[in-house]
Amino acid sequence: MSSAEDRVNAMRGYKATLNNPRVSDEAKQNAQSMLDQLGGSQPSEELHNLRGDNQKDPNRVAGGLKAAQNNPGVSQQGKEAAGQKLNQMGGPDE
């Protein structure tokens, strides 16, 4: 059985095939079939767990929350929720 990393790399190739306009419909159907056999997003999740990517960098999280507070596309309720989460993290509320 191949490793999670091998399966993720294979999935990348099949996904590229699906998005390539020069590829025939038959090849796209084959690529989709192979993706289904590889387990959907499961190999990617396994790879994240193996690498320890499931830990979020607190500085990046805080930066995202600060950006949400200043983004005109975010609702007032969303801005308030971001401020509350930022306060819970111990960061300043802007």
Side-chain angles (χ1 to χ4, degrees):
M1 181 176 236
S2 61
S3 72
E5 191 163 0
D6 291 339
R7 289 192 312 248
V8 169
N9 287 335
M11 289 176 70
R12 287 182 183 133
Y14 293 125
K15 287 179 181 181
T17 299
L18 291 175
N19 292 305
N20 186 340
R22 296 184 193 175
V23 173
S24 69
D25 288 339
E26 183 180 347
K28 287 183 181 187
Q29 288 174 354
N30 181 50
Q32 185 61 57
S33 173
M34 293 303 295
L35 279 172
D36 294 342
Q37 289 179 14
L38 286 171
S41 64
Q42 181 184 1
S44 181
E45 291 169 9
E46 288 178 25
L47 188 58
H48 286 292
N49 291 336
L50 288 173
R51 290 181 175 172
D53 291 345
N54 53 356
Q55 298 294 326
K56 295 183 179 178
D57 181 359
N59 291 327
R60 289 181 183 256
V61 172
L65 293 170
K66 289 178 186 178
Q69 289 180 309
N70 295 306
N71 185 336
V74 174
S75 68
Q76 188 59 37
Q77 182 181 7
K79 290 179 182 187
E80 290 171 6
Q84 289 174 358
K85 288 181 184 178
L86 193 57
N87 284 334
Q88 290 173 354
M89 292 179 64
D93 184 359
E94 289 185 11

